[in-house]
Amino acid sequence: MCRTWCAMSNECRRVRAIRPDLVSRRMDAHDLDGGPSLDGYLSAIRRCTICRDDPLGCPLPHEPRPTLSASSTATVLVAGQAPGLRVHETGQSFNDRSGDRLREWMGIDRRVFYDESRIAIAAMGFCFPGYDNHGGDLPPRRECAPAWRDGLMARLPNIRLILCIGLYSQRYHLGTLRQPRMTDTVRNWRVILAATKAEQGRAVLPLPHPSWRNTGWLKRNPWFEQELVPALRTRLRTELDL
């Protein structure tokens, strides 16, 4: 595998050093429901309660509900940060205003977006992490990616395009290609697309989070909707045979 994809974030490395049992638990899950198959792995993820029962720091303050969708035939991966409250309540990824904006960027409707035979949707954290003191979503839980991410990626062999949404996803999927500022990372999308395709065989396209809290960012960076969004739609038409 290429150096950029394997260059996991320092956070994941620290967590694995502190809590190697998270990796052992993930390995134990390989023996559940059909062994190392994707279906068995997804079943194990959906039963996961690490963040509540064996957390790093404070436990998840509500019932875990890991939310993701994937199939071995999917060619596009939507790699976000963590589900929001509405996703937690409905059990459907990006089933909120952020999802509406993301689908607009992608130029597809809900039918295509939720067709898991074509599009996998898997955030860096699978459960809604709760709110901070200012009413914003907390970061993805620290337990989740070290326990599950590598195994999931290994079970998605046909992914050719990864939509890398937000800082935490970019830390994992871009490695050394990520810039200190998210804006600079997204602005460098042409170089990142070419480099990841050449090194990984999987093209990675960095995106800002489609949250409506980022409306100001979009106004300050008109190049995103003028240049990157049309390129994204063109790429998806090819990858999804639209």
Side-chain angles (χ1 to χ4, degrees), residues 187-214:
R187 192 187 298 273
N188 200 36
W189 63 272
R190 292 181 179 87
V191 171
I192 289 172
L193 261 180
T196 51
K197 177 64 175 177
E199 295 181 6
Q200 301 180 21
R202 291 171 163 175
V204 181
L205 184 63
L207 301 174
H209 196 280
S211 168
W212 292 89
R213 293 174 181 266
N214 281 339

Side-chain angles (χ1 to χ4, degrees), residues 114-127:
Y114 291 116
D115 181 355
E116 66 181 34
S117 70
R118 294 196 279 181
I119 297 178
I121 308 173
M124 296 306 298
F126 297 128
C127 290

Side-chain angles (χ1 to χ4, degrees), residues 38 76 113 119 172 182 204 212:
L38 175 60
V76 175
F113 186 77
I119 297 178
Y172 178 90
M182 187 274 295
V204 181
W212 292 89

Side-chain angles (χ1 to χ4, degrees), residues 13 54 62-64 99 112 138 160 164 211 223 228 239 242:
R13 293 176 187 272
D54 198 11
H62 49 265
E63 187 69 16
V112 174
L138 288 168
R160 297 192 297 263
C164 204
S211 168
W223 52 266
L228 192 154
E239 296 294 349
L242 297 176

Side-chain angles (χ1 to χ4, degrees), residues 4-5 7-9 79-81 124 149 162-187 189 192 196 200 204-209 217 224 228:
T4 54
W5 190 44
M8 293 187 64
S9 71
Q81 302 202 123
M124 296 306 298
R149 195 72 182 180
I162 300 173
L163 305 186
C164 204
I165 300 171
L167 173 63
Y168 295 95
S169 178
Q170 290 163 13
R171 281 179 177 172
Y172 178 90
H173 287 283
L174 293 180
T176 57
L177 289 173
R178 185 182 69 86
Q179 302 297 313
R181 297 174 64 246
M182 187 274 295
T183 297
D184 295 332
T185 300
V186 177
R187 192 187 298 273
W189 63 272
I192 289 172
T196 51
Q200 301 180 21
V204 181
L205 184 63
L207 301 174
H209 196 280
W217 184 92
F224 175 78
L228 192 154

Side-chain angles (χ1 to χ4, degrees), residues 66-191:
T67 303
L68 74 163
S69 59
S71 75
S72 59
T73 61
T75 59
V76 175
L77 170 63
V78 177
Q81 302 202 123
L85 178 59
R86 180 171 172 79
V87 172
H88 174 74
E89 292 172 342
T90 64
Q92 188 172 44
S93 300
F94 283 103
N95 187 27
D96 52 19
R97 295 180 69 198
S98 294
D100 292 340
R101 173 173 271 174
L102 176 60
R103 286 183 285 275
E104 180 183 353
W105 289 349
M106 297 170 71
I108 61 176
D109 59 19
R110 291 175 65 92
R111 177 185 61 83
V112 174
F113 186 77
Y114 291 116
D115 181 355
E116 66 181 34
S117 70
R118 294 196 279 181
I119 297 178
I121 308 173
M124 296 306 298
F126 297 128
C127 290
F128 170 53
Y131 293 123
D132 62 24
N133 293 333
H134 304 288
D137 288 358
L138 288 168
R141 294 290 306 195
R142 295 171 62 204
E143 307 89 349
C144 199
W148 298 110
R149 195 72 182 180
D150 285 358
L152 178 62
M153 294 304 301
R155 287 163 175 78
L156 297 174
N158 291 308
I159 296 296
R160 297 192 297 263
L161 176 64
I162 300 173
L163 305 186
C164 204
I165 300 171
L167 173 63
Y168 295 95
S169 178
Q170 290 163 13
R171 281 179 177 172
Y172 178 90
H173 287 283
L174 293 180
T176 57
L177 289 173
R178 185 182 69 86
Q179 302 297 313
R181 297 174 64 246
M182 187 274 295
T183 297
D184 295 332
T185 300
V186 177
R187 192 187 298 273
N188 200 36
W189 63 272
R190 292 181 179 87
V191 171

